[in-house]
Amino acid sequence: MRHELVLRGCTPTPLASYLKALAVLRLVAEQGGDPDATGCWRNDEFVLRTRLQNDQLLQFFLEKYEPAPLVAPWNAGSGFYYQEGKLNEKDPATGKKLKTGRRDQPTEATRALEAIERSSAKRLTAYREAIKVARSAVAHYKLVKAPDDEKDEFIAHVRNIAPDRVLRWFDSAIVLADGGPEFPPLLGTGGNDGNLDFTTNFMQNLAVVLPLDGGEITAAATELLQTALFAAPTTALSDRAIGQFSPGSAGGPNAASGFEGDARMNPWDFILMLEGALLFAASAARRLESSSAAVLSAPFTVRSRLGTEGAAALTDDGDARGEIWMPIWDAHFTLEEVLALFTEGRAALGARPVRDGLDFARAVAQLGVDRGIGAFQRYGFLMRSGKAFLATPLSRVAVRRNPQADLIDELERREWLGRVQRLARDDKAPGTFRAAEARLDAALFALTQRSDKAAVEKVLRQVGRIDALCASSPKLREALVPVPTLSYEWIHRAHDGSAEFQIALALAGLSLPGEREGRRVYVSIRPHLARVNPDGTDWDENDYLICWGAGALEHNLAAVLHRRRLEAARMNTEGEVLRSRSGARIEDVQRFLAGETDDRRIAELLSGLACVDLDHFVAPEVQDFAMPLPAYAVLKPFFASESMLRDLGWLPPDRSLRLPAQVSARLVADDVGAALELAWQRLRALGVKLPGRQPPCAAGVPGPRLLAALTIPLTFAETGRLLRWLDLAPESDVPEEALDQPA
């Protein structure tokens, strides 16, 4: 009969508690006589399905559990080396005791190791053998202190002679790469975290809960085990350090009701977390796929990309040891299945393994990970509390297919994204650029988790912001390439139907035909925003088209109009100044004129949308005709492309309706009345049947705002509706008094 034991003391966070769950499953299957035991995560608790009942599980750990032989003779605090003795006499200069020159002073570490070495408990036989082999290696190299220059050679020697049961520990703590030993961050730097040696503390905690001489189990040991497994209350916690695995138990400021608190640790927690860490050994050495850092070799362990997380900052990446993504599965796995998960456990983007936390999140969104995983608990090994590293819980990332994340692949063309990320890690990079890249990272990470349009839009805005920063920085242009041309799918997945998006999209579609260097080109709005050539494939340092600045949107649009008029005159296409492959709706422009739109959002969206290929633009559907502002309607024909006016049958082939320079100048000067008078006269001369006998009033719209609104292209259908309203509607349908009122 099998029993489901809910181990409430084994939760996904902190890391120590997660590793405990792995240890319980492994030890029950390997030593507890139940190789078919399974485990899964349910409601943030580990559920063990086994033949053992609660009391039998406790009995196993208390009476039969054989600890893994963890030794690290390459570390100074491993217990294999004595301290240098001291005399009572002091140095007059420093006031410190003089040293004897002989290393014969026992330490807490040496005493812990010797206690295991002298023990008689049968369960520690393998441990004693491991210590014996390690001592032989120390003797072979005639070491009296931890190796320094010969450390790499010594570590390789220890691995060659170590018993099989030690190899599991060895491969969890150290990866022997071509350039020497590398250390996966899960176990610090080869089994220690600063001055805290994991193996020594493992032995010390074993001595607290297990009788080394084979005697009776204490009541305190039983109580502590119940706490570790089932979260039973206890007052028997010790003040030993637990290291990076459980930051909340490390003590320090705000760790208790007072200003500071002592470390509070359950010895069983420390023992079981190291036993659980051994599951990461199977692939640590075998998974080394390059000469890169060992963090790329260990299961589900990658380089830090901490700017994506609110608990960390971009600057943390420089000091962090990496990050690890712990899988959480909701189906019952046997030990063999869990071992396979960690042995083969990898995330990939296409044909390459992931490099950092953002890559991992993308792989999760693309299902590029082993099946059977419901979520990942992300941890970052961050430097906190001075120079100590803490396994800081970051986010919980669900494993589900998210097509939105596929868009990020396009940013990797020409290595654009990689170049941006590398440059942001350079201390000499401008602060504004580093901040922009951090926001881009955060937006990309959010895009892997969310499928809403706002997430895609946020990425577009950040991409455009970086492209715009390059316009004012020659150093950035030296290090980067322009944003690669993005597919129309970005618009399809980001368009929320808002006036801001439609206006930005209409402006992004500007396409002035002409010739450059003997070839046909179409000048988009992008060269006005960034120093790029017409097709956006490279920087153009001599490009005179750039005119966008940090000012208000309406002023920038006026500058764009002026620059495009000059370029159109140079290329003899003056009638196509505002020709666009896309367009807005009249109702969008009306909202803009009324000041109901977010101009900053429009500007940032425009920078991003300018990088998108608009060849497949689909005009938005319009159910009802929005009554245009009369002043806008009279002026708009001069701000439409002549080719569109002819296609609509409104402008005869032999006539021209080019924008008079005086109209724009009057609007910039906020003399709307004069601009309307000029337009009215030109339309009358063209033979347009205008409603009314005189120009409409300005209706209180500022001239610069009206000019900006006129710069926004309309769709073909909306332009046709406006022209019919202006020219073809019977006078009875458009009362003269309506021209004196705002729409």
Side-chain angles (χ1 to χ4, degrees):
M1 181 178 179
R2 310 202 71 78
H3 307 278
E4 278 200 350
L5 309 183
V6 180
L7 306 184
R8 292 187 170 85
C10 300
T11 56
T13 57
L15 182 55
S17 190
Y18 179 94
L19 295 174
K20 269 195 305 180
L22 300 183
V24 172
L25 178 60
R26 181 180 73 80
L27 293 170
V28 167
E30 292 181 347
Q31 301 181 20
D34 189 4
D36 297 324
T38 62
C40 71
W41 296 95
R42 184 188 303 160
N43 299 326
D44 270 8
E45 296 171 337
F46 194 71
V47 178
L48 180 69
R49 184 178 291 169
T50 174
R51 295 183 304 189
L52 305 179
Q53 298 184 23
N54 282 19
D55 56 343
Q56 292 173 320
L57 181 64
L58 295 172
Q59 183 182 17
F60 158 68
F61 278 106
L62 293 169
E63 299 179 3
K64 299 179 181 179
Y65 156 60
E66 296 181 11
L70 311 186
V71 291
W74 50 84
N75 290 334
S78 61
F80 288 92
Y81 309 104
Y82 292 100
Q83 281 186 343
E84 194 174 347
K86 295 180 180 179
L87 301 172
N88 291 328
E89 184 180 354
K90 295 184 178 180
D91 185 337
T94 63
K96 296 181 179 180
K97 288 185 177 182
L98 295 173
K99 295 183 178 180
T100 64
R102 298 186 305 275
R103 289 186 169 271
D104 55 5
Q105 182 69 37
T107 65
E108 188 175 356
T110 61
R111 286 189 285 268
L113 185 141
E114 290 169 359
I116 299 291
E117 197 173 21
R118 294 193 304 265
S119 67
S120 59
K122 183 178 179 181
R123 64 170 69 185
L124 297 174
T125 301
Y127 220 133
R128 291 190 291 269
E129 177 62 23
I131 294 173
K132 180 179 178 181
V133 171
R135 284 205 185 278
S136 71
V138 171
H140 177 77
Y141 278 81
K142 299 178 181 179
L143 298 175
V144 294
K145 62 178 182 178
D148 190 6
D149 295 338
E150 55 194 348
K151 184 174 182 178
D152 294 0
E153 182 183 338
F154 177 74
I155 289 176
H157 176 76
V158 172
R159 194 188 191 287
N160 287 336
I161 65 173
D164 289 344
R165 289 194 63 181
V166 178
L167 292 181
R168 176 181 271 177
W169 155 254
F170 191 102
D171 291 342
S172 298
I174 298 176
V175 176
L176 293 179
D178 293 339
E182 300 284 357
F183 309 113
L186 181 63
L187 290 169
T189 53
N192 70 293
D193 180 22
N195 294 325
L196 178 67
D197 188 282
F198 297 149
T199 61
T200 297
N201 279 266
F202 184 75
M203 299 177 204
Q204 292 170 345
N205 284 295
L206 285 175
V208 172
V209 297
L210 299 181
L212 303 185
D213 57 359
E216 295 293 326
I217 301 294
T218 65
T222 304
E223 180 180 314
L224 288 167
L225 181 59
Q226 290 176 322
T227 300
L229 298 181
F230 303 113
T234 184
T235 58
L237 300 179
S238 65
D239 60 357
R240 293 183 178 275
I242 196 169
Q244 63 181 358
F245 298 96
S246 183
S249 303
N254 300 318
S257 57
F259 290 106
E260 290 208 27
D262 295 329
R264 307 299 295 168
M265 191 264 292
N266 185 333
W268 280 110
D269 284 351
F270 196 98
I271 293 168
L272 292 176
M273 75 180 186
L274 289 183
E275 292 278 7
L278 300 186
L279 281 180
F280 289 77
S283 60
R286 196 162 57 233
R287 288 288 308 285
L288 188 63
E289 298 172 357
S290 68
S291 59
S292 304
V295 294
L296 299 180
S297 310
F300 300 120
T301 308
V302 291
R303 293 198 300 262
S304 299
R305 179 64 64 181
L306 298 173
T308 61
E309 189 62 45
L314 179 67
T315 52
D316 284 319
D317 281 337
D319 297 322
R321 284 178 176 162
E323 55 183 80
I324 190 167
W325 291 56
M326 291 302 195
I328 298 174
W329 58 94
D330 52 16
H332 275 275
F333 283 6
T334 64
L335 175 61
E336 288 187 359
E337 291 171 322
V338 174
L339 282 171
L341 176 64
F342 284 101
T343 301
E344 301 299 331
R346 64 170 63 193
L349 282 172
R352 69 168 176 86
V354 299
R355 294 182 296 250
D356 54 35
L358 177 57
D359 275 0
F360 206 113
R362 292 171 58 192
V364 169
Q366 295 177 6
L367 294 182
V369 296
D370 292 86
R371 300 301 189 264
I373 302 173
F376 284 92
Q377 176 60 51
R378 184 186 183 198
Y379 287 93
F381 294 94
L382 311 185
M383 186 179 286
R384 296 288 188 265
S385 300
K387 292 188 176 182
F389 285 88
L390 300 178
T392 306
L394 301 176
S395 52
R396 181 76 59 83
V397 179
V399 175
R400 60 173 177 267
R401 180 75 176 106
N402 182 7
Q404 306 289 63
D406 298 347
L407 295 173
I408 303 175
D409 293 346
E410 298 183 24
L411 297 177
E412 291 195 319
R413 295 173 185 165
R414 302 183 66 194
E415 282 194 90
W416 182 83
L417 182 58
R419 291 172 189 247
V420 168
Q421 292 172 336
R422 286 192 295 272
L423 181 59
R425 268 62 187 170
D426 187 341
D427 293 338
K428 296 180 181 180
T432 51
F433 173 79
R434 299 180 72 188
E437 192 277 338
R439 288 192 290 269
L440 174 61
D441 268 358
L444 291 173
F445 192 89
L447 182 59
T448 66
Q449 302 301 295
R450 295 165 47 188
S451 57
D452 57 288
K453 296 180 181 297
V456 182
E457 177 186 319
K458 189 171 183 180
V459 174
L460 271 175
R461 293 170 69 175
Q462 300 306 325
V463 166
R465 182 174 294 175
I466 290 177
D467 213 37
L469 284 174
C470 292
S472 58
S473 173
K475 290 185 177 180
L476 290 181
R477 294 196 295 276
E478 287 178 11
L480 303 177
V481 296
V483 177
T485 302
L486 305 177
S487 71
Y488 192 80
E489 193 67 21
W490 284 83
I491 296 174
H492 175 69
R493 298 187 184 182
H495 202 331
D496 61 354
S498 65
E500 289 88 348
F501 199 102
Q502 197 62 50
I503 289 171
L505 183 57
L507 292 167
L510 288 173
S511 180
L512 176 65
E515 287 190 4
R516 268 196 179 189
E517 299 177 356
R519 64 189 182 94
R520 189 74 167 173
V521 297
Y522 291 88
V523 181
S524 69
I525 197 172
R526 192 174 178 189
H528 303 307
L529 309 174
R531 294 185 183 274
V532 296
N533 55 22
D535 57 9
T537 57
D538 204 355
W539 303 118
D540 189 347
E541 297 299 330
N542 299 317
D543 191 5
Y544 55 89
L545 290 175
I546 187 165
C547 59
W548 199 275
L553 175 63
E554 55 196 49
H555 296 153
N556 276 315
L557 290 179
V560 167
L561 177 63
H562 176 68
R563 197 60 56 92
R564 292 183 75 81
R565 290 186 70 250
L566 295 177
E567 183 68 2
R570 189 181 71 83
M571 296 192 299
N572 197 29
T573 53
E574 295 173 88
E576 305 299 316
V577 173
L578 294 177
R579 175 177 174 175
S580 178
R581 291 175 292 174
S582 55
R585 301 163 299 199
I586 293 175
E587 62 177 295
D588 301 325
V589 178
Q590 294 291 81
R591 291 195 59 195
F592 179 83
L593 282 168
E596 298 174 356
T597 53
D598 183 343
D599 286 2
R600 179 179 176 182
R601 182 187 173 200
I602 293 173
E604 291 182 355
L605 265 173
L606 174 58
S607 294
L609 292 173
C611 303
V612 178
D613 182 356
L614 297 180
D615 285 344
H616 302 289
F617 171 75
V618 177
E621 294 184 5
V622 179
Q623 301 296 332
D624 300 316
F625 176 65
M627 187 75 69
L629 185 74
Y632 170 84
V634 168
L635 290 167
K636 184 58 183 175
F638 296 94
F639 292 82
S641 75
E642 290 186 349
S643 59
M644 179 184 286
L645 296 179
R646 291 191 176 97
D647 288 344
L648 287 166
W650 192 84
L651 183 66
D654 58 339
R655 304 297 295 272
S656 176
L657 193 68
R658 295 176 182 177
L659 173 64
Q662 301 95 319
V663 171
S664 298
R666 291 297 88 205
L667 291 174
V668 169
D670 200 18
D671 189 353
V672 180
L676 285 170
E677 185 66 34
L678 284 169
W680 191 267
Q681 293 172 4
R682 290 290 300 274
L683 291 174
R684 285 290 192 196
L686 189 66
V688 177
K689 183 181 177 182
L690 294 168
R693 293 180 292 275
Q694 60 184 5
C697 72
V701 178
R705 189 71 177 181
L706 180 55
L707 178 62
L710 291 164
T711 305
I712 302 169
L714 295 177
T715 65
F716 185 88
E718 285 287 81
T719 303
R721 290 187 177 95
L722 182 139
L723 294 176
R724 286 194 295 273
W725 180 89
L726 177 68
D727 186 37
L728 303 178
E731 291 190 10
S732 58
D733 292 343
V734 186
E736 184 172 336
E737 58 268 25
L739 299 177
D740 298 325
Q741 302 294 328

